[in-house]
Amino acid sequence: MNSSRGAGQRQVWADEPALGATYTQEEVDAVVEVLRESIDPHVGFRAKKYEIAFEDAFAAYCGSPFAIAYNGAGAALDMVLRCLNLQPGEQVISGALNFVGTHLSVTGQGGKLVLSEIDPNTLNLDPVDVESRITDRTRAILVTHMNGLPADMDALEEIASRNPHPVHGPAKLIVDAARACGADDGAGPVGARGWASVFSFQSKKLMTTLGEGGMVTTRDADLAAALRRLRSFGKNQHWGSNYKMTKLQAAVGLVQLGRLNSMNDTRIRLARRRTEMLRSVPGLTVPPVLAGRRHVYYRYNLLVPEEWAGWHRDRVRQGLAERHGFGSVVADPPTYLTHPGIRDHLGNPSFPVAESTAARLFCPPLHPSMSDSENKSICAAIADVMHSVANGNH
């Protein structure tokens, strides 16, 4: 394979796309229609009709009885954790490789964050390690479907049932599905299992509601009611604040949801073709394909050899950017290595598997608007820099 880009060319595909979805005239028309109707002083921007329609459509898509829209996934996860009513010392287990916001939600709601090792093949929680960390203070397992690949929900549900809390019963499974909208965990769409699943519609995500937004799905009617109160000043009954999604966001969300499968199908096709082209590159580990699970490839994970961890991996990324014009990201390193507040909360922890995996990881860009030729050029560039680094030409 030969890359079509020369040394010093500007990045056409940078570190990661700023817009993860694609927008069409349909989204533009939805915004204009809602804007025009809302400038009537008798109508305004109250979101209720569109919010309900978006929630109902999203719940049906996920196979969940309840969906509650929020102005962002961070606020949504904060409020889900608030509903646990965590007491001092009560624990929430989560994977060491994660987005920092996931772990900040735990500490921000008064929980004791307990990290677990990950499976280096999937970047998801290692169920065996999770079980070794459960105590009689464990209230929840916060499961992140890393980069679009669903975690092993069957194993985690079984572990939770075998290790009940003495007062509250089995640990609640809270799913961070921010990167997995439209994925399938083997038993059905992501969002149908666990106590609650939290989705993100931020600008880089698989679908986006004008740059920010979130949704919670749940089968628990009491939780759904509580989350609705919390997002709207407590409904004059309890504490709450303003976490509501806007009318324009909800209107665009309906359009994006209708196109989500098509956008994800394109991602999957590009990713599978990429895997075919990269599978034979010496030393490179491509993403796994797990039977029964629909991986939506929010990010395309690659691992360099163990002996290349750190410095050599960085040379691969540098060569990819400087010689071929393609960026990449490390998504994500252990949160305690990037956020001092999490490190202080945990007391300078060490998770060797997570740390070594992160030091080997890089994610080149993938997007549903990427052409087949661009995808091929990225693969050629990766093969070139891997060969170059292997031969000391870096």
Side-chain angles (χ1 to χ4, degrees), residues 364-384:
L366 182 71
H367 193 269
S369 70
M370 182 176 285
S371 69
D372 289 333
S373 62
E374 287 174 318
N375 194 34
K376 184 176 181 180
S377 291
I378 289 174
C379 293
I382 292 169
D384 175 66

Side-chain angles (χ1 to χ4, degrees), residues 42 72 88 112 131 172 231 235 250 264 269 288 355 394:
H42 303 290
K112 172 61 179 175
E131 187 157 26
K172 304 287 191 186
R231 74 175 177 187
K235 296 291 187 181
N264 281 345
R269 181 183 63 79
E355 290 178 19
H394 46 70

Side-chain angles (χ1 to χ4, degrees), residues 293-304:
R293 297 189 219 176
R294 176 177 162 89
H295 188 344
V296 290
Y297 297 96
Y298 171 67
R299 290 192 175 114
Y300 186 89
N301 305 325
L302 289 170
L303 297 174
V304 300

Side-chain angles (χ1 to χ4, degrees), residues 109-191:
Q109 294 303 314
K112 172 61 179 175
L113 177 64
V114 175
L115 296 190
S116 176
E117 282 287 17
I118 52 95
D119 177 345
N121 189 46
T122 66
L123 309 188
N124 285 323
L125 274 170
D126 176 358
V128 174
D129 194 69
V130 168
E131 187 157 26
S132 74
R133 298 179 191 278
I134 289 181
T135 73
D136 61 4
R137 304 289 286 167
T138 302
R139 290 291 311 282
I141 301 172
L142 180 47
V143 189
T144 300
H145 296 320
M146 280 297 291
N147 292 345
L149 177 60
D152 189 343
M153 293 293 289
D154 290 340
L156 293 168
E157 287 176 339
E158 184 181 351
I159 288 167
S161 68
R162 283 203 307 265
N163 299 274
H165 186 279
V167 175
H168 300 284
K172 304 287 191 186
L173 261 65
I174 300 172
V175 181
D176 178 352
R179 303 176 179 185
C181 195
D184 190 305
D185 62 23
V190 165

